[in-house]
Amino acid sequence: MKHADIKEAAEALFNEQRNPFGAFSLGSETHHAVTIPDAVRRCRWIAVDMNASAFGLFFVSPSAERARLVPCFDSDYPGIAVATKFISGANGEEIVRHTRISTEPRWWTDDGVAVMAEMFGNLAWTEQMAALAPGTSGIALPVHADRGQCGLVVFLGSEIALPQETLYEIHARCFSLFAAVARIRPGDAGRMRAISKRELECLKLTANGNTSEEIARLLKLSVHTANQYLTQSTQKLNAVNRNQAVAKALRLGLIE
């Protein structure tokens, strides 16, 4: 099942109102308003349906040179799970490159649970990859949305149940979920404080995986000033941390 087929399946599923949190058509510009807490609940329902113990939704960073996954939320929302930190680190580079050109799912087993390897191994149109988080089993579903945005929905667990026919439905629901998240606009956008060019530069460099020290060197700033710009942009975007600020900036098209 290719990208267009999954998108068509997603539209059909959601037009049938099988989603408990407000269905919408992927081809329609009018849909129910969705917030991040709504999206977290929707993702949690998907996880329940496949018996996954944890999940995360990630945006692909805009940089072609430094491939990186930017976490939007995970099952520890509004916190950040330890597994998410691994996935958004160096371990995510290979899957980012794959996600940009393909929607084929990838799975891994690194928790010693043989039944997981057997279950995933029987799935068509999937391939094994190196573990995104050590000591876990999981599956990563590439997703795409308007404006060329792409990302990954990841599910973790040692008792995941995912028959072949369910995989396509789950992937379709993830496509629709990502499309909804990619379209989120802050309700008080008209009152949102303007973000300066320097603050956006710092956010974009953060999205590309640069540390505060590297940002300071690249922009010829002190580390304190770089951190100050990041703090200001985080506050203006009403984000809880710089990772969430980067995810919001990507969704809003403030950085590319």
Side-chain angles (χ1 to χ4, degrees), residues 24-46:
F24 67 95
S25 167
L26 283 176
S28 172
E29 292 301 322
T30 59
H31 56 272
H32 294 287
V34 176
T35 65
I36 289 297
D38 289 334
V40 173
R41 286 192 292 270
R42 286 169 61 165
C43 203
R44 184 165 285 118
W45 273 105
I46 296 173

Side-chain angles (χ1 to χ4, degrees), residues 96-130:
V96 164
R97 288 190 288 270
H98 169 73
T99 297
R100 283 175 170 156
I101 61 173
S102 175
T103 57
E104 186 178 66
R106 290 287 186 264
W107 59 269
W108 72 92
T109 56
D110 192 42
D111 56 6
V113 181
V115 68
M116 283 290 90
E118 182 180 357
M119 190 274 296
F120 285 134
N122 287 329
L123 291 174
W125 191 62
T126 66
E127 286 191 14
Q128 188 174 5
M129 63 173 290

Side-chain angles (χ1 to χ4, degrees), residues 3 33 50 59 95 104 118 120 125 176 186 199 215 231 239 242:
H3 178 185
M50 57 190 292
F59 277 80
I95 192 65
E104 186 178 66
E118 182 180 357
F120 285 134
W125 191 62
S176 291
E199 289 165 352
I215 293 171
T231 298
R242 65 176 62 178

Side-chain angles (χ1 to χ4, degrees), residues 154-227:
V154 176
F155 296 96
L156 309 173
S158 57
E159 298 181 355
I160 291 176
L162 194 59
Q164 186 69 60
E165 62 274 12
T166 304
L167 169 63
Y168 298 140
E169 178 179 345
I170 292 292
H171 203 173
R173 291 167 67 186
C174 288
F175 255 79
S176 291
L177 174 64
F178 186 72
V181 171
R183 288 174 175 170
I184 289 176
R185 296 293 183 268
D188 58 349
R191 300 188 299 275
M192 189 173 69
R193 294 163 59 196
I195 301 177
S196 71
K197 179 181 177 181
R198 216 37 152 181
E199 289 165 352
L200 289 176
E201 287 175 337
C202 290
L203 277 177
K204 183 170 184 177
L205 288 170
T206 300
N208 293 342
N210 291 284
T211 64
S212 295
E213 290 75 14
E214 290 171 331
I215 293 171
R217 186 178 68 254
L218 289 168
L219 298 181
K220 295 181 172 55
L221 305 170
S222 69
V223 175
H224 172 76
T225 301
N227 282 328

